[in-house]
Amino acid sequence: MAEEQLTTEEDAVLQQQYLRALSSFEGIILSQIDIKNKLGDRLNYSIQAGIIILGAIATSILVLLLTLSAQINRISAVVTDMNVHLTSVAGQMHQIRDHMANMEQRVALLKDIQDMTEVMSGAMDLIDSDMALMGDTVRGINLHVATVRNNVGNISVNMDIMHHEVQAMSREMHHMAKPARSMNKMFPFP
């Protein structure tokens, strides 16, 4: 449950970052379009003024051409700057595309991690049941060992009783054999 919440939060954060990146890109494109429109309008006004001035005053053609030349150089510099910015934007778009591909790969790995977590959870359940079975087996072995111990104790008690009986029989035999030994001393047979 906690992993799903973390995944959802990470997805929300990634979504917000993606939306911010898209809005920033949109702002850049709109500002570039606005700059292009203003430059186009400025160029149109300059050309119209140049045509009016060329028609009205012939001597100012040279001055006007120099002014237009300066404006064209400035416009050329601005267009060059715009090309640099557009190239930079294109490079950033490639980076964004690479980041998106990396994010897709990482999100795809989350499914594998989730599957592996489920497999590990199943394995842990099996281990848990095996441990419970082993605990039952060990308890059974302990019961059998206690029974064997009890039986060995009983055998030991019986052996002690038999030992005492054998000693008593030995004394009786020794006692019963005394007359036979006395007879052997009196009548030795080879």
Side-chain angles (χ1 to χ4, degrees), residues 16 21 34 40 56 60 89-91 100 109 132 134 138-140 146 151 156 171-172 176 178 182 186-188:
Q16 288 176 353
D34 188 37
S60 62
V89 167
M100 291 300 292
L109 289 177
M134 285 172 58
V138 167
R139 280 190 287 280
N151 289 340
S156 176
R171 281 193 297 272
E172 288 291 323
M176 287 171 53
K178 217 178 207 184
S182 298
M186 286 194 280
F187 305 106

Side-chain angles (χ1 to χ4, degrees), residues 18 24 42 44 60 67 80 96 106 110 112 119 129 133 156 188:
Y18 176 71
S24 297
R42 195 181 286 177
N44 285 337
S60 62
T67 305
T80 303
I96 290 171
R106 290 178 183 163
L110 289 176
D112 293 339
V119 169
S129 63
L133 186 63
S156 176

